Amino acid sequence: MTAPETGRGIGNGERAAEITTTFVGLPRDSFRILHVSTGNVCRSPITERLTRHAVQERLGVLGGGLIVESAGTWGHEGAPMEANAETVLTDFGADPAGFTGRELLDEHVIRADLVLTATRDHRAQVISMGHSAGLRTFTLKEFTRLVNAIDPATLPPLEDGVVTRARALVRAAAALRGWLLAPTAEADEVYDPYGAPLTFFRSVGDEIHQALDPVVTALTGVPARA
């Protein structure tokens, strides 16, 4: 999460860092990804910062008009990220600096083009806020499962812009949701490591990283480096 900095993002602290590569001939546009957990000090900040890091690795720069941010359904407004969460991000080479927690507000949901939650309960809470959020709100693991079933060739090429590709990806995932159900109720959950030892934080970080990999590949059209 991040605060307004020219060319980087908008929001609180260093929240919502804007990924800003210029695609020649394309209008300035954006696609906002909102990661949601409970306190916004463990899972959602890890997911937010890993998403940014992965996009930068794939595109070589922070780029494409993506804005990545996070919030918590019982967010610790203004709180720092948990120290173990910072360690996990550092393990992956991602930047934990400048983060402050925030509580999920209507305006965050209204502005989001894609909401990815840690659990089904978080997803239900976001959808219950209204704002036509149902078709663009998924658990992270649910979205990963749906993305894995989408033929990349059916998505717009990167030359059309990451924003155009991202919007098409969300539409395709929403269309598949009723057909690809989770094998178990727990399959779509990322459990809360709050108060747990670093080893558990690292296992959650690995889980999030693995779930994000195909999502970022689909968004950018670029696979992770071997």
Side-chain angles (χ1 to χ4, degrees), residues 35-145:
H35 293 294
V36 175
S37 63
T38 303
N40 194 214
V41 291
C42 298
R43 288 168 292 181
S44 51
I46 289 173
T47 314
E48 173 198 320
R49 294 302 176 92
L50 285 181
T51 302
R52 292 187 196 170
H53 179 67
V55 171
Q56 184 170 15
E57 279 197 324
R58 308 299 170 88
L59 298 181
V61 289
L62 287 175
L66 297 180
I67 299 171
V68 186
E69 57 187 352
S70 61
T73 55
W74 289 86
H76 300 290
E77 190 72 31
M81 190 188 310
E82 283 287 292
N84 283 344
E86 291 188 350
T87 299
V88 167
L89 288 172
T90 302
D91 289 344
F92 284 105
D95 183 9
F99 179 87
T100 54
R102 65 178 183 175
E103 185 173 355
L104 181 67
L105 302 176
D106 289 271
E107 67 189 68
H108 303 144
V109 177
I110 290 168
R111 294 187 303 176
D113 298 287
L114 172 63
V115 184
L116 297 176
T117 69
T119 69
R120 292 166 298 154
D121 282 347
H122 297 134
R123 181 185 63 194
Q125 289 179 64
V126 171
I127 293 172
S128 74
M129 295 171 73
H131 316 303
S132 303
L135 291 177
R136 51 196 167 90
T137 302
F138 309 79
T139 73
L140 171 61
K141 288 186 173 181
E142 174 191 21
F143 194 66
T144 301
R145 183 175 67 253

Side-chain angles (χ1 to χ4, degrees), residues 1 6 16 63 73 124 141-142 151 158 161 194 210 213 220:
M1 282 131 28
T6 303
T73 55
K141 288 186 173 181
E142 174 191 21
D151 181 356
L158 185 59
Y194 185 77
Q210 290 173 23
D213 180 65
T220 64

